[in-house]
Structure formats: structure tokens, C-alpha cells
Amino acid sequence: MPLNRRSFLSMTAIAASLAAVSACGAQNDSTSSASGSSTDSPPERDANADLVIWADQKKADSIRDTATKWGEEQGLTVAVQTVANDLQSNFITANQAGNGPDIVMGAHDWIGNMVQNGSIDPVSLTDTAKANYFDVALAAVTYDGQTYAAPYAVETVALFANKSLTSVSAPTTIEELVDAGKAAGVEAILSLPVGEEGDAYHMQPIYTAAGGYLFGKKDDGSYNPDDLGVGGAGSLVAADKIGALGADGVLKKSITGDNAIALFTDGKAPYLVSGPWALADVKGAGIDYQISQIPGFADIEGSTARPFVGVNCFFVASKGKNKAFAVDFVADAAKDSTFAEAMFTSNELPPAQKDLAEKLKTEHADMVTLADLAANADPMPAIPAMSAVWQPLGQAEANIVGGADPASTMTSAGEEIKKKIGG
């Protein structure tokens, strides 16, 4: 399922079987505190470093200077090592073997899988640090009542409007969006990735606006894997709406993660559903744009589009060789936005911390807008059962867009997901 989320979640890693993961055996070819390796296999842990951090390329590049400076202030050497592919799975394998990092940087929806594998430890955040985080960021890193990471950035999708193609830059209903999109008279009404295999992540706002949900929630707000919404009444209403939008040409299988942003930046669609990863291209195209909340349906009472929020985090490895240093580092990263602000200069992402949002309001208003929209959305489920959802639901939605019967197709997807969850 193509997601085109350039800097963030690796959902396929959750579903991957650890038995298929290669052993962590590649040699790290750099020994300095700013070391890195971009080979396909994870690097061998730098034996000369007091603290080792693993991350993908973007995250590694954004944290390296800050981590090195922190280490120098503590009298420690810090190695930031790049793991180019399958970071989560390679980390779990290396950690189990005792040759992994002390800290890994990744997405909050890895938590359920990593806790299940005993790969990460809970972290302790001060009350001051917690008060500085947006509630959605803290909720995302809370699993079974414990906090498992220190967040530093949030991501969600929103509605981008090309103001040169439509005067309705912030439609209040999907119906209003459709009418305005048709009036624009260009190739597409709404550039939202669907593709042949579907894209349940980008479709989530439409699905939830019609009353669909993936998993219900327990009294404490955490997701309940025993309450699957796919195949339920709300999902069937959503299937009908998705089918109608497909029949009307609003949703198209020809729009994919590869061309969705380009359709918008080329002036071929007045509206785009995307996230902060689209901003560089949108700004580069010189478009007069506006970012707003994705609207709900006018004919459904209380309709609210609720996209998923992803949270970028620091995790403490359960078998790191220098766990005390890792705990100190993560605590310092959480206490205020000093780390996140330094990282922002090379990897711009919406802030998870309120003090950084305040600092960014003037020069990076779009990032703060996206952070505010994330605050009113739902954290991506971090439960292991989520890995069973993406492919069947995405494929069902794509088939419905293509004309398949909405009710039977969505019902079948629910049945398939239940079988996968049940083992």
C-alpha cells in the first residue's frame, strides 16, 4: 500500500516477520561521534561511543549536531548511525542480540510491536515536560498506561486549497468542496491518493467523516483491538459515501501517492489532501495556497473528519549498553524544545511541544497550523492488530472507488481483518 509519507511512518515494518529480518552484521565504517552508515543492513554498534542513536537518514541528519554537542557537554561521545531500511525490524533484531543502539528514533505507532518484543523501556517525563506537550502527542506515546517515548514532532494530513483555482479556500463540508472543485474546471476535483491498491491512511478523513472507525476506544482513551469497526454500521455508511465520490469522479484510482502532490502543484486540482511533506513542493510551485481542516459531510449529523496523527519520538532501547546515558538524553530532549528546535532547521516538521509552536508562529505559520490540526485528530493506533488493517481496508476502498459494491466489499474487508487478528 503506497503511502508517500516521505519522512515518517513505516507501517509495513510492523507487519514484517522478524524471522525474515537479516542479522545485524554490517560493519560501521566510521568511528567518530558524528558517525553514520547508509548501507541496507544496520550498522554494527559503534564500540567507541558512550551513546549510540539509530535513525533513518533524515532524522539522523537532523539530530547529529545536537547529539554531538550534548555529548561534549556531558563528557561523552555520541554516535548517530543511519539505518537506511527496515529500521524498526532491524532495531528489534539487533536489540535482542545485544548489539543494538541505546536510543532509536521512530514513529509512535511502532510502540505496540516493540513492547510486544520487549525492545523498549518506558520513559519518565516530568510534569513540566508533559504540560509542554500537546495532548495528542502524549496520548500517542502512552501504551497500556505507560509512557514509552519522548515526542518531538507530529504529522497529520490536511486540506490544501489553490486559491487561484477556487474562491472556496476552506470549505466547511465535503459537498461544498465538490461543488467548488467542479467549478474550477480542471483535471481533478480533489487530489487524494487512492491508487489500485488503496491508501487507507489518506482515506481515513473521508472514512471517519461518514462514521467509520478502525478500532473502538476503552474508557481510558486507548484503542481496543477487540472492537473492530471495519465491517460495522459506520463503515458501511462510509463505503456508500466513498462509492458515491468515486462514481462522481471526486475520488480516482488514477491518483496515487506518486502523482497526488504534482497534480496540485501543476494546477490540475484545486484541492489536495496531504501533510507537511507536501509543503516544500507547494511552496516551490509558487501557489497561493491555504491549509485548513478537512471537512465533514453536510448530510450526516455531527460529521467530523478525523485523520490520523503520527508522532516522531525518541525511544530507549531495553538492552542498550549504556541505558543511563540514554535516559538522560531523552529526558533532556523532553524537558523543553531546545532539541526539537535545533532539529527543525534541517527537517521541518510540525512541533509536538507548545513552546516551539509559539516560537514558530511568525516565520513558520503553516507548521503551527498543521500542529493545531493534529491536536484535534486521532493518534495512529499503536496496537499490533493495526498491521492487519491497512492492506484489506485500503484495497476495499480502492475497489469501491472503482465501482465495486460498497456494502459487500467493506464487509468482506472486515471479515479478512478479523481472521488476520485472530491469527
Side-chain angles (χ1 to χ4, degrees), residues 135-136 138-147 215-225 378-379 383:
D135 289 345
V136 70
L138 281 180
V141 299
T142 302
Y143 186 82
D144 283 345
Q146 296 195 79
T147 303
F215 293 101
K217 293 183 179 180
K218 301 176 183 177
D219 292 340
D220 63 0
S222 63
Y223 287 102
N224 181 3
D378 291 322
I383 54 178

Side-chain angles (χ1 to χ4, degrees), residues 7-10 53-56 59-60 87-88 91 103-111 114 120 141 148-153 310-316 343 349:
S7 63
F8 199 49
L9 303 177
S10 177
I53 301 172
W54 280 9
D56 64 30
K59 293 179 179 68
L87 173 56
Q88 183 193 172
F91 161 66
I103 292 172
V104 65
M105 297 173 65
H108 86 271
D109 67 326
W110 297 2
I111 291 175
M114 294 198 296
I120 55 174
V141 299
Y148 276 96
Y152 67 88
V311 179
N312 280 299
C313 311
F314 295 99
F315 300 102
V316 174
M343 294 166 66
L349 293 170

Side-chain angles (χ1 to χ4, degrees), residues 169-184:
S169 55
T172 57
T173 65
I174 290 176
E175 290 85 351
E176 184 182 22
L177 181 157
V178 171
D179 289 343
K182 289 179 178 179

Side-chain angles (χ1 to χ4, degrees), residues 148-202:
Y148 276 96
Y152 67 88
V154 297
E155 291 186 341
T156 194
V157 295
L159 184 70
F160 290 70
N162 184 335
K163 295 167 74 173
S164 67
L165 294 179
T166 178
S167 60
V168 185
S169 55
T172 57
T173 65
I174 290 176
E175 290 85 351
E176 184 182 22
L177 181 157
V178 171
D179 289 343
K182 289 179 178 179
V186 291
E187 181 177 324
I189 296 168
L190 172 64
S191 191
L192 185 154
V194 178
E196 291 295 328
E197 298 178 359
D199 190 328
Y201 171 76
H202 283 92

Side-chain angles (χ1 to χ4, degrees), residues 275-308:
W277 52 88
L279 273 171
D281 288 345
V282 172
K283 290 180 178 179
I287 290 174
D288 182 13
Y289 67 93
Q290 181 169 330
I291 300 173
S292 64
Q293 182 175 358
I294 299 166
F297 290 98
D299 61 349
I300 297 179
E301 185 177 356
S303 175
T304 303
R306 298 190 68 85
F308 279 135

Side-chain angles (χ1 to χ4, degrees), residues 28 30-36 46 48-54 64 67-68 77-81:
N28 178 39
S30 176
T31 58
S32 73
S33 63
S35 65
D46 190 334
N48 298 315
D50 298 310
L51 180 72
V52 174
I53 301 172
W54 280 9
R64 186 167 283 115
T68 301
T77 56
V78 180
V80 178
Q81 298 179 292

Side-chain angles (χ1 to χ4, degrees), residues 70-88:
W70 180 88
E72 290 170 350
E73 292 172 349
Q74 311 300 318
L76 305 172
T77 56
V78 180
V80 178
Q81 298 179 292
T82 300
V83 181
N85 298 307
D86 297 324
L87 173 56
Q88 183 193 172

